[in-house]
């Protein structure tokens, strides 16, 4: 019975089995629309900046959901378009088959539904983006109003009379909040026991004291050992380690304590935000103290990264502890005021006290910096005086140079403190509190950024140093030169420092509460920048393109090295042919890497052809010479009319070809300088290749003797000189000829051959020395052609009558 029922229901079940691929994007789109309506409804009741920030985050999530739904629907739309394209159009006057007509109608309806959903997703994304922009404007306006809000001056007795009047009621509210927390904690402990809170407290104490101190000591021992990297990375690496340990362990200890209480329900709902802010305050305070310990290092001056003496380091370390404690107290007090719902005047009074405390702390820090500057100036002047007394003739130096960061810190601190004090006295307590907090937080962020920039610079240069283990591995595996590896280290350092700067900017803008807008902008950037109608450049695609280019280029470089070093030397090809093959392979590898990178960017070959055709006009006019040389280089590499090692004459220049590139050819002339000749010159002009057809060199010696000279003896002396010289070849044999007899002189012309054209000059010089010596011994005089000049006498002057 059950089997028959199941068999009857199976066809319907099988028909519904395939899931609709557009169901999930459509459901996501529907939910995003409802969420956007809910955000609009909640926006009317938003009163605080925290609420507006939460609504902004929700609006950005709606935009992301709408974009995701559009991305999920677009492939289905493309698929339907392809299927409709395959069906084609119905010719006029013909009747389409029923099945094809039904299929066309169904596909058309599906396409219309998906196109409508995509249009709705686009509209929803635009509405969410616009709503987010409106919320951000409201938040900025509200923030500006809070900073510009004016109350009674702290010097006014009215403020404190009103504060004294509202204190009892506020204490009652705080007491009620305390009793609520105590009651909730008692009930939770009575139900679950003390095991979870005590375990959390024990773990927190273990993390804060023994583990933190042990990790700090372990980092110092490693930095002082021989295993640590050489150079500046020892100090900056230790500072970053101390910063990480000093920040994470105290913060995680606070998280463990709060988590153990929350696990048994010992934290009431009204104190949940207070507990969260307590954890945040612990992390921030721990970060400030750890940063001061990493930079100042009062007990170990040799590891100190800042140019400070011990007294200034100890004093600034105390002020850092004060800033950390004040930050922790201010964050927790603000959370308690909101949870207890204290009166406005109490909040104003507390903010005023915190602002005044911040100003006092900043003034104390500025005073310490001023004392440090005076001490450094006195020490520098004393050193100059001692040098002047030791060497009176020495040239006096100028005044000592001030430390740049100290001068900037003092100037900014004085200006900000003066503005904050004036704002406090005028009653702009919110502005004064914000300025004080921003000054402290800005100094912390800038010091942390400077530390991280030193660390990443030292790390990058150490990793890609030719003497380090990583650098040697890179040299052996890639075959790059040491200078290239060092350049890669510098580029990696620059990229990491840019990342640190971006993190510092985000940290500096965090107190303004616009991180959501920044994240929204980054999310929009991650979707890419549209270029034209069909090309979108995304950061991920750019990264893929760079990786593809490096991968293909590396493979082709390895293949080229294998050809040049392993395969080609074992062939019968000469050096020029091997160089041609290696050069063409290198340029083909570059072209392949570029094409692969363009494909990874989403630029296909058909679009590349359009770009090349668009640039052809510009190439024809502006890059004509470069294109001509490029094509000529390919012809030289293919036809090889000249090759590496050939001795060529080009105009009045001659030399050996050392390298043939695609654009130019390098020729080494006689003075060892390099002549760079465009390839088009070697193709379009007459070039004499001295070593192309025959590698032998020919020596020609010409001179004249008087008609009375014994020409037979002259001929024998020349032949003997040719035969006796080791550089003259026996085959072809030397030859001596009488070229002409005229004007009482006999013109002698002789030829001999050497093993190569490069030996002609030296052998001919030796033969001249030998010939002149033997002619002088034989009494044979050499004569030059007679040069007759006819000179007329000047005409006689006319006779005077």
């Amino acid at each position: 019975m059950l089997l028959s029922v199941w068999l009857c229901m199976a066809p319907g079940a099988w028909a519904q089995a395939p899931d609709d691929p557009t169901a999930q994007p459509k459901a996501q789109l529907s939910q995003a629309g409802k969420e956007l309506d809910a955000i609009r409804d909640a926006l009317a009741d938003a009163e605080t900046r925290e609420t507006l920030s939460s609504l902004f985050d929700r609006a950005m999530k709606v935009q992301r959901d709408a974009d995701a739904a559009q991305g999920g629907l677009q492939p289905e739309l493309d698929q339907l378009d392809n299927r409709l394209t395959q069906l084609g159009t119905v010719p006029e006057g013909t009747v389409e088959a029923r099945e094809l007509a039904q299929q066309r109608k169904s596909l058309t309806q599906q396409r219309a539904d998906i196109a409508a959903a995509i249009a709705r997703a686009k509209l929803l994304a635009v509405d969410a983006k616009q709503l987010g922009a409106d919320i951000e404007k409201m938040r900025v306006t509200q923030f500006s109003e809070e900073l510009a809000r004016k109350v009674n001056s702290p010097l006014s007795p009215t403020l404190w009379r009103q504060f004294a009047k509202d204190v009892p009621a506020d204490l009652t509210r705080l007491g009620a909040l305390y009793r609520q927390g105590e009651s909730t904690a008692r009930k939770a402990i009575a139900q679950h026991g003390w095991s979870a809170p005590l375990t959390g407290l024990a773990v927190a104490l273990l993390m804060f004291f023994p583990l933190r101190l042990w990790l700090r000591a372990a980092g110092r021992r490693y930095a002082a050992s021989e295993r640590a990297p050489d150079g500046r990375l020892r100090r900056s690496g230790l500072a970053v380690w101390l910063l990480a340990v000093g920040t994470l362990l105290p913060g995680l200890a606070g998280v463990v304590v709060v988590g153990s209480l929350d696990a048994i329900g010992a934290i009431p709902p009204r104190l949940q935000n207070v507990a969260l802010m307590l954890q945040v305050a612990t992390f921030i305070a721990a970060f400030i103290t750890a940063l001061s310990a990493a930079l100042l290092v009062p007990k170990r001056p040799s590891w100190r990264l800042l140019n400070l003496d011990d007294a200034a380091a100890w004093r600034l370390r105390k002020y850092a502890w004060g800033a950390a404690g004040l930050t922790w107290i201010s964050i927790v007090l603000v959370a308690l005021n909101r949870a207890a719902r204290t009166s406005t005047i109490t909040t104003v009074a507390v903010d005023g006290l915190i602002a005044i405390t911040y100003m006092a702390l900043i003034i104390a820090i500025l005073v310490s910096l001023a004392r440090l500057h005076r001490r450094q100036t006195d020490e520098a002047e004393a050193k100059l005086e001692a040098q002047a007394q030791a060497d009176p003739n020495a040239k006096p130096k100028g005044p000592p140079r001030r430390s740049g960061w100290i001068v900037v810190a003092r100037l900014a601190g004085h200006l900000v403190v003066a503005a904050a004090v004036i704002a406090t006295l005028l009653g702009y307590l919110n502005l004064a509190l914000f300025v004080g907090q921003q000054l402290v937080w800005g100094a912390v962020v800038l010091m942390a950024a400077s530390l991280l920039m030193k660390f990443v610079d030292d790390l990058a240069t150490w990793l890609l140093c030719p003497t380090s283990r990583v650098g040697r591995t890179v040299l052996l595996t890639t075959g790059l030169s040491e200078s290239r590896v060092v350049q890669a280290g510098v580029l990696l350092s620059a990229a990491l420092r840019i990342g640190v700067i971006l993190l510092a900017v985000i940290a500096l803008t965090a107190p303004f509460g616009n991180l959501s807008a920044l994240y929204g902008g980054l999310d929009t950037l991650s979707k890419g920048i549209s270029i034209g109608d069909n090309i979108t450049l995304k950061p991920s695609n750019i990264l893929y393109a760079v990786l593809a280019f490096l991968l293909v280029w590396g493979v082709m470089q390895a293949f080229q090295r294998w050809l040049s070093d392993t395969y080609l030397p074992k062939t019968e090809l000469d050096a020029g042919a091997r160089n041609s093959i290696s050069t063409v392979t290198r340029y083909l590898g570059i072209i392949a890497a570029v094409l692969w990178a363009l494909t990874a960017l989403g630029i296909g070959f058909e679009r590349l052809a359009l770009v090349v055709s668009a640039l052809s006009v510009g190439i024809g006019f502006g890059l004509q010479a470069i294109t001509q040389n490029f094509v000529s280089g390919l012809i030289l590499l293919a036809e090889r009319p000249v090759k590496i090692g050939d001795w060529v004459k080009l105009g009045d220049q001659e030399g050996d070809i050392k390298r043939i590139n695609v654009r130019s050819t390098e020729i080494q002339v006689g003075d060892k300088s390099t002549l760079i000749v465009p390839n088009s010159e070697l193709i379009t002009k007459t070039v004499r290749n001295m070593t192309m057809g025959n590698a032998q060199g020919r020596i020609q010696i010409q001179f004249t003797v008087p008609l009375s000279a014994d020409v037979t003896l002259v001929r024998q002396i020349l032949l003997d000189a040719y035969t006796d010289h080791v550089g003259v070849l026996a085959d072809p044999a030397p030859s001596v000829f009488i070229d002409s007899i005229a004007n009482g002189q006999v013109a002698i012309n002789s030829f001999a051959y050497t093993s190569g054209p490069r030996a002609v000059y030296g052998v001919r010089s030796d033969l001249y020395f030998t010939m002149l010596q033997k002619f002088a011994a034989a009494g044979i005089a050499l004569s030059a052609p007679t040069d007759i000049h006819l000179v007329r006498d000047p005409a006689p002057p006319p006779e005077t009558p």
Side-chain angles (χ1 to χ4, degrees), residues 78-209:
D78 296 338
Q79 185 178 3
L80 290 174
D81 288 338
N82 292 333
R83 295 175 65 181
L84 288 173
T85 303
Q86 292 175 358
L87 289 178
T89 59
V90 181
E92 296 182 0
T94 60
V95 178
E96 192 176 20
R98 181 178 179 183
E99 294 180 355
L100 292 178
Q102 291 179 352
Q103 185 178 5
R104 185 188 301 277
K105 181 178 180 181
S106 176
L107 293 177
T108 303
Q109 183 62 37
Q110 293 178 22
R111 187 194 182 285
D113 294 340
I114 294 178
I118 291 177
R120 183 186 176 192
K122 292 181 179 179
L123 181 60
L124 190 61
V126 172
D127 290 343
K129 183 178 180 180
Q130 184 61 40
L131 182 59
D134 295 339
I135 294 174
E136 185 63 20
K137 291 179 182 179
M138 294 175 60
R139 192 202 60 77
V140 172
T141 302
Q142 195 176 69
F143 179 68
S144 302
E145 291 176 354
E146 289 181 2
L147 293 181
R149 187 178 302 162
K150 183 179 179 182
V151 297
N152 292 326
S153 173
L155 302 179
S156 174
T158 305
L159 175 65
W160 300 109
R161 282 198 300 267
Q162 190 174 0
F163 173 71
K165 179 180 178 182
D166 292 344
V167 162
D170 292 334
L171 291 177
T172 302
R173 296 187 182 96
L174 290 173
L177 183 64
Y178 172 75
R179 287 189 296 272
Q180 182 181 359
E182 182 184 12
S183 175
T184 304
R186 286 181 181 276
K187 291 179 181 179
I189 292 174
Q191 182 178 358
H192 300 282
W194 287 91
S195 59
L198 291 179
T199 302
L201 181 61
V203 173
L205 292 175
L206 180 65
M207 294 173 63
F208 189 78
F209 288 107

Side-chain angles (χ1 to χ4, degrees), residues 279 345 401 458 460 465 582 662:
Q279 300 174 50
I345 192 63
R401 184 179 179 181
D458 297 342
C465 177
S582 177
V662 172

Side-chain angles (χ1 to χ4, degrees), residues 704-711 740-746 781 783:
T704 59
V705 294
L707 188 61
S708 60
D710 189 353
V711 293
S740 65
I741 301 175
N743 299 324
Q745 295 179 346
V746 179
S783 61

